[in-house]
Amino acid sequence: MAPALLILLGATVILRADSLSDKKSLLLPPTNFTIKVTGLSQVLLRWESNPDQEPVNIELGYHVRINAPQEEDYETRNTESKRVIVLHKGFSASVQTVPWNGQPLPPSRWVSAELKAPPGSPGTSIVNLTCTTNTTVNNHTPLRPYQVSLHCSWLAGKDAPEDTQYFLYYRYGSWTEECQEYRRDTLNRNTACWFPKTFISSRGSEALAVHANGSSKHAPIKPFDQLFALHAIDRINPPVNVTAEIEGTCLSIQWEKPVSAFPIHCFEYEVKIYNTRKNYFQTEKLMTNAFISIIDDISKYSVQVRATVSSMCRQMGFWSEWSQPVYVGSDDQKPSTEWFLIVLMAAICFILLIFSFICKTGHLWTRLFPPVPAPKSSIQDFFVIVSSEKTVSTETEIEVISYVEDPGFEALEDSVF
């Protein structure tokens, strides 16, 4: 009996130890999970580790899942996370505790939070929002030699009342500005905005957040958010001070980098050379700001250059507009010989045509070149100057043949009966 009690007691101790081990290995979900809007298209996710979590011999982290407006998963060891995302459709997220170092422990259950979509009537928010940035020289602030302007345009929603008025804002980093210069449509509604100076950095990598809301006496206007990558909307300036000159058969082209905060090594260029006489284009892509081409030195050329920021300095964007054409060379050199021959042949043909017409109408040709009489032939005279005379009578027929010889000979007449 005693051995059986000892075995039962040992089993009970083992079960209690396993129960404590399972309790310690169980991961509890975070607590006080909140979502807070901290700026245009920007939220802060915050939570706390569970105070009831038993100490474990592993490092803990958190798995965050963005559920809306678009799904996204990532892991972090922090208890807060800042996200830049559009919010006009609402926002929801979930978080759970996970082992950080890959231990085979099951994660905790999920905890979730949500931001409701802002109110507004469907079809009243702006549509077709487009924005572009452009860099100009800033002569007023030496510490910031360049300034970036922003231009945005949009259309009114299809169900927006006629009295709807829209208002636009942008946020870059911690800076937020409201538009002060609008352009209006025929119904006097704001449909475009111009920021001559902004706090946008053309060399920055942050997304540009643009927010538009509106007001109307007849319906609540639904707001709209959109994020822009700067490389995708930056309108690069064309290269400046483009020069071209011809020395012999070499066309030498030089230019300076566009007005931009990016240094000179950050640009790629494309050169377009147009031969105006032969009507063909030559294009070359370069990483330098000079190009030499072997050309026909007796033609006129049009030279243009455009630029883009290379992938060495940021993600590739659009090409700039072409620079103003620079003309070099002349069409008056080689064609002089060819045109002289063409004009000469045309003049000769024209003179001959006029001369022929005058000769035909004035009978001048006959006067200048009278017809030459054909020479006489003795044999021909013998057969041709044969006069057949027939004397017809009722009794006899007399044939008279006259034979004419050259002067100095006697004429013979025979009569044949």
Side-chain angles (χ1 to χ4, degrees):
M1 188 70 179
L5 290 174
L6 290 175
I7 293 173
L8 183 60
L9 182 60
T12 302
V13 172
I14 292 173
L15 288 174
R16 288 181 177 178
D18 290 342
S19 177
L20 291 174
S21 176
D22 290 342
K23 185 176 180 180
K24 290 182 178 180
S25 63
L26 182 64
L27 297 183
L28 301 179
T31 60
N32 298 328
F33 180 38
T34 59
I35 301 174
K36 181 181 179 181
V37 178
T38 57
L40 297 180
S41 301
Q42 183 174 268
V43 293
L44 178 64
L45 286 66
R46 181 175 289 168
W47 59 90
E48 297 176 359
S49 60
N50 198 307
D52 297 330
Q53 177 67 57
E54 294 290 338
V56 292
N57 294 327
I58 59 174
E59 295 180 354
L60 299 180
Y62 303 97
H63 178 193
V64 181
R65 172 171 295 170
I66 308 299
N67 303 313
Q70 57 187 22
E71 293 186 357
E72 179 186 0
D73 285 84
Y74 61 95
E75 293 186 350
T76 179
R77 295 194 61 189
N78 301 321
T79 57
E80 65 179 29
S81 175
K82 183 182 296 184
R83 310 303 295 173
V84 176
I85 196 166
V86 295
L87 300 176
H88 64 271
K89 295 181 179 180
F91 181 85
S92 66
S94 303
V95 63
Q96 65 178 178
T97 307
V98 295
W100 186 254
N101 55 2
Q103 292 292 325
L105 290 177
S108 72
R109 63 179 177 85
W110 292 98
V111 292
S112 302
E114 180 182 12
L115 287 176
K116 297 292 184 180
S121 299
T124 59
S125 62
I126 66 171
V127 294
N128 296 345
L129 175 64
T130 59
C131 294
T132 58
T133 59
N134 182 245
T135 301
T136 57
V137 176
N138 184 6
N139 296 320
H140 304 289
T141 308
L143 296 178
R144 295 188 63 188
Y146 300 100
Q147 63 187 21
V148 178
S149 62
L150 174 66
H151 179 266
C152 296
S153 62
W154 61 89
L155 297 176
K158 60 182 182 63
D159 296 325
E162 292 186 357
D163 71 332
T164 301
Q165 194 57 277
Y166 294 106
F167 307 97
L168 189 108
Y169 307 79
Y170 86 87
R171 181 189 60 79
Y172 185 77
S174 60
W175 296 95
T176 301
E177 280 191 288
E178 179 183 358
C179 181
Q180 303 296 326
E181 299 183 27
Y182 288 102
R183 188 184 66 201
R184 294 178 172 84
D185 62 7
T186 56
L187 296 177
N188 205 35
R189 298 180 296 192
N190 295 335
T191 56
C193 170
W194 166 251
F195 294 90
K197 298 180 181 179
T198 67
F199 293 96
I200 299 171
S201 171
S202 58
R203 299 182 61 179
S205 58
E206 295 185 46
L208 173 67
V210 178
H211 171 85
N213 55 29
S215 63
S216 170
K217 296 179 180 179
H218 305 285
I221 305 302
K222 194 172 183 64
F224 180 81
D225 297 324
Q226 188 166 337
L227 299 176
F228 295 94
L230 289 183
H231 74 273
I233 65 171
D234 189 18
R235 194 175 71 235
I236 300 296
N237 295 302
V240 297
N241 296 333
V242 180
T243 60
E245 61 179 355
I246 293 177
E247 294 183 2
T249 58
C250 291
L251 172 60
S252 178
I253 308 169
Q254 293 184 333
W255 59 89
E256 296 179 8
K257 82 174 187 72
V259 174
S260 173
F262 286 97
I264 189 172
H265 69 270
C266 287
F267 287 95
E268 293 183 15
Y269 300 100
E270 190 172 56
V271 179
K272 180 170 65 175
I273 304 172
Y274 174 58
N275 187 317
T276 60
R277 184 172 66 87
K278 296 183 178 179
N279 193 29
Y280 77 87
F281 289 92
Q282 174 189 353
T283 57
E284 299 289 342
K285 288 187 177 181
L286 308 164
M287 292 294 295
T288 60
N289 61 338
F291 178 66
I292 297 177
S293 176
I294 305 300
I295 50 108
D296 186 353
D297 63 333
I298 45 182
S299 296
K300 188 175 182 179
Y301 297 89
S302 167
V303 176
Q304 292 177 284
V305 187
R306 65 178 182 175
T308 186
V309 179
S310 70
S311 57
M312 295 187 303
C313 298
R314 76 171 183 191
Q315 192 172 348
M316 287 285 288
F318 295 106
W319 286 89
S320 72
E321 297 292 331
W322 289 102
S323 63
Q324 291 296 318
V326 174
Y327 295 96
V328 64
S330 175
D331 284 332
D332 298 332
Q333 298 176 13
K334 180 178 179 179
S336 58
T337 304
E338 296 180 356
W339 281 111
F340 176 78
L341 295 177
I342 294 173
V343 172
L344 179 62
M345 294 299 296
I348 293 174
C349 293
F350 181 77
I351 292 173
L352 291 176
L353 181 64
I354 296 298
F355 183 78
S356 176
F357 177 77
I358 294 175
C359 290
K360 183 176 181 181
T361 56
H363 303 286
L364 184 60
W365 189 268
T366 305
R367 298 176 182 176
L368 292 177
F369 304 102
V372 179
K376 289 186 177 182
S377 174
S378 299
I379 299 175
Q380 182 180 3
D381 292 340
F382 178 81
F383 289 100
V384 173
I385 312 178
V386 173
S387 144
S388 297
E389 298 177 357
K390 295 183 179 180
T391 304
V392 180
S393 64
T394 58
E395 297 179 353
T396 62
E397 178 180 339
I398 301 174
E399 180 178 355
V400 179
I401 300 176
S402 299
Y403 177 74
V404 180
E405 293 183 3
D406 292 336
F409 293 91
E410 295 180 355
L412 299 179
E413 295 184 358
D414 294 328
S415 299
V416 180
F417 295 95

